[in-house]
Amino acid sequence: TWLTMARFLGPRRGLKTALEHLQVSPVQLTLKELSSRECEIQTDDGEQPEFLAGLIEGAVTLLGGRNAQVSVVTQSSELAKFRVHWT
């Protein structure tokens, strides 16, 4: 299944692959790698950043990341940017 393969890839590559396949979503997401265990995710919808942060944290955990932490870096009605870190 996709989740099994994504776990094999790990959080960094799994998130990147998932975002590439979500291009049909009405909310556009982009990922910028900062290190092997940290990235920034930006969305063009800033309406519910806490909800999206929870989804991202859950996804990182499902992908094998431990101690996932997601913080809102920037937020307005038009965008939200998140810093994602795991061990």
Side-chain angles (χ1 to χ4, degrees):
T1 67
W2 178 86
L3 182 56
T4 303
M5 184 56 120
R7 280 187 171 188
F8 176 74
L9 294 173
R12 182 174 51 95
R13 289 184 286 170
L15 281 174
K16 190 173 183 177
T17 302
L19 293 180
E20 289 171 359
H21 292 295
L22 287 177
Q23 294 306 315
V24 295
S25 171
V27 176
Q28 296 299 306
L29 300 167
T30 56
L31 183 141
K32 177 182 175 184
E33 293 182 44
L34 302 175
S35 72
S36 64
R37 298 184 190 275
E38 188 173 29
C39 65
E40 276 186 357
I41 296 178
Q42 183 171 316
T43 177
D44 65 350
D45 182 356
E47 290 299 317
Q48 297 180 330
E50 295 84 8
F51 176 74
L52 189 52
L55 290 176
I56 295 168
E57 186 174 313
V60 170
T61 301
L62 281 173
L63 293 170
R66 297 182 187 178
N67 303 315
Q69 298 176 358
V70 180
S71 57
V72 179
V73 177
T74 305
Q75 191 246 336
S76 70
S77 62
E78 297 177 3
L79 71 88
K81 187 182 289 187
F82 305 91
R83 177 75 47 103
V84 185
H85 178 79
W86 61 92
T87 59

